[in-house]
Each structure stands twice: as C-alpha cells, then as structure tokens.
C-alpha cells in the first residue's frame, strides 16, 4: 500500500478578507473532494488572507498513482479557479504501509 500526501500553496490575490478566503477554500475543498475522492483540508496560513495552503491524501496500490493524481488535481484547480496562482506544490510518498 502506498500513501500519497500532496501539499499545495496558492496565492488568492482577489481576497480582501478572511471571510472571502474561507468561502474560496470551502468551495475548493468540496469540489476537489467530490471530483477525485481524496481527503482534502486547509493546512496552514489560516490567518493570511491571500494565501491558501491545502493538503490532500490518497491511498493506492500503484506507486505512480499519487504523482499522476497530483498533476490532475493541480490542473483541475487551475482550470476551475484561474485567479489562483500556484506558489508551491510537493508530494510525499509513504510506501510499504
């Protein structure tokens, strides 16, 4: 069993309050969860208005699947929310679980 953990950081330049950020994050998390059936949560930068940091997690028997899924998720977010600028993304793979 392989577990893939994805960290994604985005800049939300259109946000001018925490309320606007929360609305964007809630929508983003629910859409990613519904489309890809992964666990998604806001991970850090909770009090910074214009930065969204998400973590997603998936379990798979195929060790290549998590990297492919991360590419699909980042493409989906980019298409869905062109106002988000990808700052950083990384994958952590835990094998042999």
């Amino acid at each position: 069993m392989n577990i893939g953990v994805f960290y994604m950081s985005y800049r939300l330049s259109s946000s001018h309050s925490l309320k606007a950020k929360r609305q964007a994050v809630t929508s983003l998390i629910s859409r990613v969860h519904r489309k890809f059936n992964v666990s998604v949560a806001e991970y850090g930068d909770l009090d910074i208005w214009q930065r969204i940091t998400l973590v997603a997690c998936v379990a798979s028997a195929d060790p290549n699947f998590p990297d492919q899924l991360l590419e699909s998720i980042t493409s989906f977010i980019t298409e869905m929310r062109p106002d988000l600028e990808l700052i950083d993304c990384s994958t952590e793979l835990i094998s042999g679980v």
Side-chain angles (χ1 to χ4, degrees):
M1 181 65 65
N2 300 292
I3 299 173
V5 182
F6 318 123
Y7 300 94
M8 301 164 279
S9 294
Y10 291 93
R11 178 195 309 260
L12 179 62
S13 57
S14 63
S15 177
H16 299 291
S17 69
L18 283 176
K19 183 177 181 180
K21 176 188 173 181
R22 297 284 177 254
Q23 289 173 342
V25 168
T26 303
S27 172
L28 195 59
I29 286 174
S30 67
R31 287 183 176 191
V32 169
H33 174 71
R34 271 187 275 135
K35 174 126 176 110
F36 296 100
N37 196 25
V38 295
S39 297
V40 185
E42 187 175 12
Y43 176 65
D45 303 320
L46 300 175
D47 294 333
I48 301 174
W49 297 354
Q50 296 182 338
R51 187 168 177 138
I52 297 173
T53 302
L54 301 175
V55 63
C57 184
V58 65
S60 170
D62 180 7
N64 297 321
F65 182 72
D67 285 329
Q68 295 168 354
L69 187 62
L70 176 61
E71 289 180 25
S72 299
I73 290 172
T74 54
S75 296
F76 175 74
I77 291 173
T78 302
E79 290 173 12
M80 183 181 65
R81 294 292 306 256
D83 60 326
L84 292 178
E85 175 189 343
L86 182 64
I87 298 171
D88 185 33
C89 77
S90 63
T91 305
E92 182 178 339
L93 184 64
I94 304 166
S95 299
V97 177

